[in-house]
Amino acid sequence: MNHLPTAVTASIEMAVNRVLQLDEDTLARLQGLQGKIIAIEISGLDVPLYLIPEANKISIYGRYEAEPDTLLRGTPLALMR
């Protein structure tokens, strides 16, 4: 499986967190997911992303050694839905 470079995941993280700062409701709902590891596998690209919600942001990694709490797998189109 391929891994995204740190610069790419940092850019994704920055964009996601900018959007989250505009949506207080979503930020509040993320409180219950703090510290959980959410793995996303994008089918066809063989690229994983690991999302870890924190107090006011989401950290995103291209590689993470711990076992995820949940795994979402699908095509880019399916994941966007």
Side-chain angles (χ1 to χ4, degrees):
M1 186 166 293
N2 298 318
H3 299 281
L4 290 174
T6 303
V8 173
T9 57
S11 295
I12 294 169
E13 181 179 300
M14 188 180 330
V16 166
N17 285 316
R18 281 186 182 162
V19 170
L20 284 175
Q21 294 304 313
L22 300 173
D23 187 350
E24 291 180 15
D25 293 334
T26 299
L27 276 175
R29 288 192 307 263
L30 285 174
Q31 297 294 318
L33 296 174
Q34 279 190 45
K36 300 291 185 188
I37 303 167
I38 303 163
I40 299 175
E41 290 183 5
I42 303 169
S43 301
L45 299 178
D46 290 328
V47 175
L49 285 175
Y50 299 89
L51 286 67
I52 303 174
E54 298 176 25
N56 292 312
K57 68 176 191 163
I58 293 179
S59 294
I60 300 176
Y61 302 93
R63 180 179 293 215
Y64 203 79
E65 298 301 320
E67 194 69 29
D69 294 293
T70 192
L71 169 64
L72 304 173
R73 182 181 294 136
T75 63
L77 183 57
L79 291 169
M80 285 176 28
R81 289 185 199 153

